[in-house]
Amino acid sequence: METLRAVIQANGLVVAFLVVGAAVWLSYWASRHLTRGRIHGSAIAIILGLLAAYAAGLASGGTRGVVDIGLLAGIGLMGGGMMRDFGIVSTAFGVQLSELRQAGIVGVVSILAGVLVSFIAGALIALAFGYTDAESITTIGAGAVTYIVGPVTGTAIGASSDVIALAVAAGVVKSILVMIGTPLVARHIGLNNPQSAMVFGGLMGTTSGVAGGLAATDPRLVPYGAMTATFYTGVGCLLGPSVLYFIVRALV
Amino acid sequence: MIIYGVALLAACLLTGLYLGELLGQLLGVQANVGGVGLAMLLLVMAGGSPRMRSLTTGASGEGVKFWSAMYIPIVVAMAASQNVVAAASGGMLAVLAGVLAVVVSFALVPVLSRIGPQSPPLPPLEQEP
């Protein structure tokens, strides 16, 4: 037993390939036999991953899902930012430049609209919960943009640490909701072509959410959504502590 | 050689991330601005360039396709390493802020999709792991 544990711990990434492979197999089996293909296998796999992360977080008290369970630490490498970005970029292989150029302007519009709309949504909720100072309202609004924009903005304008924690939580809720919700609403919002995928990526912006949500809807849409989504956090970090903060400060 | 395709992918990602960092510093933002998006553009351009053909076709192309097929498993691993407990226990404020942002953004997708030239829906997908 000790020997097995040592082998597993010394080969984290290989263990991750095995565990994730088994989880994906199980999900596609469940998709075919339990939902008759109505829920896509990758959607089930992603939800399974989130459930595992929730259970592991409760058990370990950590912040990184199953990664905090010693034997599954390799999942953190496989699902970390480095591999995620490497995988996202590879999906662009085979995409035609002309398709991207066509949707260029609408992509820019959707990024700006997305940052603004999410910010307003977060700020309104902060107001509804009784926050009245511009720093807290701006930080929570920025958290609804993404969980990176929240703390970056909060730190820059000097919000309190519990407000920053709330902003991060709001961003994580958004990202997880996009992962789960996208395949459910895809048909109703016309998310079935490259152009709407670029609009979608620009509006949602959370890279993990868009990456997961589109993978669960139709993997062929991933490169288009990911392309615009990767600019979103940068634009959010640019506008949050500056223009948006000034506007909020002028209003309250 | 498969490694040529993998190396091309790595070159695109590193170049893109570096440009994204520079762009972030230029704008005075503590974030990488569009690094991954720029990397994707580089890969798209490499794929369309006749001079890069030896890196993007045949066995070299398989090196890129392998990673693109590994994408969903990577996303599953990413989902499994999220801080789901924090999202669930962030209280009503965090949940409502996240929900409202997502609902309004979802609703805007069909509105903004009407701007500019339309692209036709993709053909139906054959489900396959």
Side-chain angles (χ1 to χ4, degrees):
Chain A
M1 209 54 202
E2 271 310 301
T3 317
L4 180 63
R5 181 178 280 267
V7 169
I8 289 177
Q9 271 171 345
N11 297 282
L13 184 58
V14 178
V15 173
F17 289 153
L18 176 64
V19 172
V20 173
V24 169
W25 179 83
L26 185 74
S27 306
Y28 276 85
W29 182 88
S31 163
R32 208 166 307 135
H33 295 281
L34 303 182
T35 75
R36 291 198 201 148
R38 239 172 309 176
I39 303 179
H40 200 275
S42 43
I44 297 178
I46 288 165
I47 291 172
L48 205 63
L50 292 171
L51 286 176
Y54 182 69
L58 285 183
S60 71
T63 58
R64 295 176 304 158
V66 301
V67 181
D68 291 315
I69 309 270
L71 294 178
L72 293 175
I75 304 254
L77 188 53
M78 183 175 172
M82 180 169 71
M83 296 293 252
R84 185 197 63 189
D85 291 348
F86 202 58
I88 289 180
V89 173
S90 73
T91 64
F93 193 62
V95 165
Q96 298 300 317
L97 198 57
S98 55
E99 287 175 281
L100 294 176
R101 215 178 281 139
Q102 259 185 13
I105 290 173
V106 74
V108 174
V109 172
S110 59
I111 292 170
L112 291 173
V115 170
L116 209 63
V117 158
S118 287
F119 180 84
I120 294 173
L124 286 179
I125 297 290
L127 272 175
F129 273 76
Y131 286 94
T132 48
D133 60 300
E135 285 73 26
S136 299
I137 295 170
T138 307
T139 303
I140 293 170
V145 176
T146 71
Y147 57 80
I148 297 174
V149 178
V152 165
T153 302
T155 312
I157 63 179
S160 68
S161 67
D162 54 314
V163 167
I164 294 182
L166 271 179
V168 173
V172 176
V173 169
K174 176 179 178 186
S175 146
I176 290 173
L177 218 60
V178 174
M179 280 187 219
I180 300 175
T182 304
L184 303 177
V185 299
R187 204 173 323 146
H188 308 288
I189 60 176
L191 188 54
N192 60 4
N193 62 76
Q195 200 221 7
S196 63
M198 284 186 79
V199 169
F200 172 81
L203 278 171
M204 299 300 155
T206 144
T207 313
S208 347
V210 169
L214 286 180
T217 306
D218 182 341
R220 292 170 300 176
L221 297 175
V222 168
Y224 303 100
M227 176 84 71
T228 42
T230 61
F231 286 90
Y232 182 95
T233 291
V235 172
C237 290
L238 184 64
L239 298 181
S242 56
V243 182
L244 294 174
Y245 174 54
F246 299 142
I247 294 176
V248 172
R249 206 172 46 178
L251 288 177
V252 296
Chain B
M1 294 266 273
I2 282 184
I3 185 64
Y4 295 164
V6 180
L8 171 72
L9 183 56
C12 289
L13 178 57
L14 291 173
T15 311
L17 288 178
Y18 179 60
L19 291 175
E21 286 295 330
L22 289 182
L23 195 56
Q25 281 173 14
L26 206 69
L27 296 168
V29 181
Q30 304 165 40
N32 190 299
V33 179
V36 173
L38 295 170
M40 294 170 90
L41 270 180
L42 290 175
L43 186 66
V44 168
M45 288 192 292
S49 144
R51 292 171 73 185
M52 294 274 198
R53 269 189 71 81
S54 63
L55 291 179
T56 53
T57 53
S60 305
E62 296 303 316
V64 185
K65 283 187 201 142
F66 170 79
W67 285 103
S68 131
M70 280 299 282
Y71 173 70
I72 287 178
I74 287 173
V75 167
V76 173
M78 175 194 81
S81 27
Q82 299 289 314
N83 191 359
V84 184
V85 173
S89 59
M92 277 318 275
L93 185 149
V95 172
L96 285 178
V99 169
L100 189 63
V102 172
V103 169
V104 179
S105 302
F106 274 153
L108 274 182
V109 173
V111 179
L112 289 187
S113 295
R114 273 191 223 120
I115 304 177
Q118 304 293 302
S119 53
L122 296 172
L125 189 69
E126 290 285 326
Q127 184 170 343
E128 186 204 329

